[in-house]
Amino acid sequence: MGPRRLHALRAGGVNSWERTGDMRDLRTFETFYWVAKLGGFRAAAAKLHTTQPAVSARIAQLEQELGVELFDANRRRATLTARGALLVEYAERLLKVRDELLAAVAQPAALRGKFTIGTSETLVRTWLSSLIEDISARYPNLIIDIAVDNSPELRQRILAQDIDLALMTETIPNDGVHGVKLCSYEVCFVVARGLPLGAHDPADDCATRPDDELFSRYPIITWPAYTLLSTNVLARIREALGLADMRIWGVSSVQTIIDMVHAGRGIGALSSVLVQDAIDAGALRVLDTSVVLPALDYYAVYLEGTSNNALKRSISALAQEAAARHHGQAIQVFDPIDKK
């Protein structure tokens, strides 16, 4: 091993078990694969939960042992050379075989590492905790990270391979992206019990006002404009009433939407499951309107890559089971890892 390589390894701070001069290990191939796929050393370091110097050291080691340059040194982005592009194909095969081997041989309790789930807040408030309990019971050594966001953001994070699995209100029609339906929630318009809707007693549920006047008078408080629910609200009101001039206040927090509606700031549009307790308690009431909003379907979505494919399928199956239990349904799903 020459002095240049020794310097690279020491600068990268890689462990002694990585300094194998005989053959590249799978960790090095995995590092190379993610640098190539994500287009940068920093992004690969974040994906692999290591440092950028460690990633650079592994790539330097691989290039020296192969005797070729894998990335074009004249470009700022990690751009593959012809040899590098060829190696990506082989690295992908190796990593897929590793994943299949672990799925076929390893016991679920032996699986380790971090698994990141992106989820809608609606599911956090319904059955996500049940899913986490199921995952912890089956994979006790797996570290679970939860990222709560709206579906458009989760879509971007799935495609960027920033999260392993997304529980969200849309599927992604891309090659290699898989989605399974989990559940469906009705959506309604709700208002504060004392919000005046007509000319007489504001607390009277029979108080009426024409829909076009009602939606023109009060803002609609719902998810941000780029979400599916907000899009549905606009489309259905325009279709039913012909209104184009509406005030929609986009809010990215369920609790904030509920608080604003409860304070009489406007008309809320959200999944009825989130406000059922407030409706039962008499704090909120469902708005009687001719505008009918479609239900929101939720899916478990993941991108099939080089790692954790079987685990993604297994946790998607657990999500189906958790959703079915919450809705009182019976469901049988196949777990590709648990073979007992």
Side-chain angles (χ1 to χ4, degrees):
M1 182 185 299
R4 180 181 176 185
R5 182 178 173 203
L6 275 172
H7 174 73
L9 291 174
R10 288 170 180 162
V14 291
N15 298 324
S16 59
W17 58 267
E18 296 178 44
R19 297 197 292 265
T20 54
D22 298 328
M23 179 60 67
R24 279 69 55 196
D25 57 27
L26 283 176
R27 176 67 65 88
T28 302
F29 283 119
E30 184 177 26
T31 300
F32 162 75
Y33 176 84
W34 285 115
V35 172
K37 284 295 182 180
L38 299 179
F41 287 66
R42 181 180 299 176
K47 174 72 177 179
L48 298 171
H49 312 294
T50 187
T51 64
Q52 187 172 339
V55 169
S56 298
R58 291 173 192 165
I59 299 302
Q61 172 189 339
L62 186 58
E63 288 182 327
Q64 184 164 350
E65 292 183 358
L66 294 176
V68 298
E69 289 187 353
L70 300 173
F71 297 97
D72 189 340
N74 296 322
R75 300 190 182 185
R76 294 183 62 184
R77 181 178 171 86
T79 303
L80 290 166
T81 63
R83 291 284 184 175
L86 180 62
L87 182 59
V88 167
E89 299 179 14
Y90 286 96
E92 186 168 7
R93 293 183 205 172
L94 282 172
L95 296 174
K96 283 186 176 179
V97 169
R98 179 196 63 180
D99 186 55
E100 292 171 3
L101 183 151
L102 291 174
V105 176
Q107 290 296 323
L111 294 181
R112 299 177 181 273
K114 187 173 83 168
F115 192 90
T116 303
I117 299 175
T119 181
S120 163
E121 190 178 353
T122 298
L123 303 186
V124 173
R125 289 170 167 263
T126 49
W127 49 262
L128 184 71
S129 60
S130 177
L131 171 61
I132 300 305
E133 289 178 5
D134 292 346
I135 296 173
S136 298
R138 183 165 297 179
Y139 308 111
N141 293 310
L142 200 64
I143 299 172
I144 302 297
D145 269 8
I146 304 296
V148 182
D149 216 328
N150 57 60
S151 292
E153 294 296 331
L154 294 177
R155 173 192 177 99
Q156 295 303 316
R157 295 185 68 176
I158 277 286
L159 294 176
Q161 304 186 67
D162 183 41
I163 57 179
D164 296 298
L165 178 71
L167 310 178
M168 60 186 194
T169 59
E170 57 183 280
T171 55
I172 305 175
N174 288 32
D175 291 340
V177 179
H178 299 266
V180 293
K181 186 176 178 180
L182 301 173
C183 59
S184 182
Y185 287 115
E186 297 297 322
V187 178
C188 63
F189 291 108
V190 291
V191 295
R193 173 65 64 180
L195 189 71
L197 303 181
H200 52 288
D201 185 359
D204 186 354
D205 285 342
C206 295
T208 59
R209 182 181 294 270
D211 282 350
D212 54 351
E213 183 180 348
L214 188 65
F215 285 112
S216 297
R217 178 180 181 184
Y218 294 109
I220 301 167
I221 309 171
T222 188
W223 290 107
Y226 50 84
T227 62
L228 179 61
L229 178 52
S230 185
T231 301
N232 287 344
V233 168
L234 279 172
R236 290 303 175 95
I237 291 178
R238 287 171 177 167
E239 178 183 333
L241 306 176
L243 289 179
D245 186 18
M246 290 170 288
R247 290 177 294 159
I248 292 192
W249 294 356
V251 181
S252 58
S253 164
V254 166
Q255 191 57 54
T256 303
I257 295 174
I258 295 174
D259 289 345
M260 292 176 71
V261 173
H262 188 269
R265 305 302 184 198
I267 302 169
L270 69 173
S271 297
S272 55
V273 68
L274 299 173
V275 290
Q276 192 59 55
D277 289 344
I279 293 171
D280 294 341
L284 300 179
R285 53 177 165 162
V286 176
L287 184 64
D288 184 12
T289 173
S290 61
V291 181
V292 179
L293 297 175
L296 287 177
D297 296 329
Y298 287 84
Y299 301 86
V301 181
Y302 63 89
L303 181 62
E304 189 170 83
T306 61
S307 61
N308 292 336
N309 288 335
L311 186 58
K312 292 172 185 175
R313 291 192 294 270
S314 178
I315 293 180
S316 294
L318 291 178
Q320 284 182 290
E321 293 176 346
R325 282 199 309 271
H326 180 78
H327 291 272
Q329 300 170 345
I331 186 171
Q332 281 190 332
V333 293
F334 170 67
D335 184 342
I337 292 184
D338 190 356
K339 302 170 288 300
K340 294 180 180 180

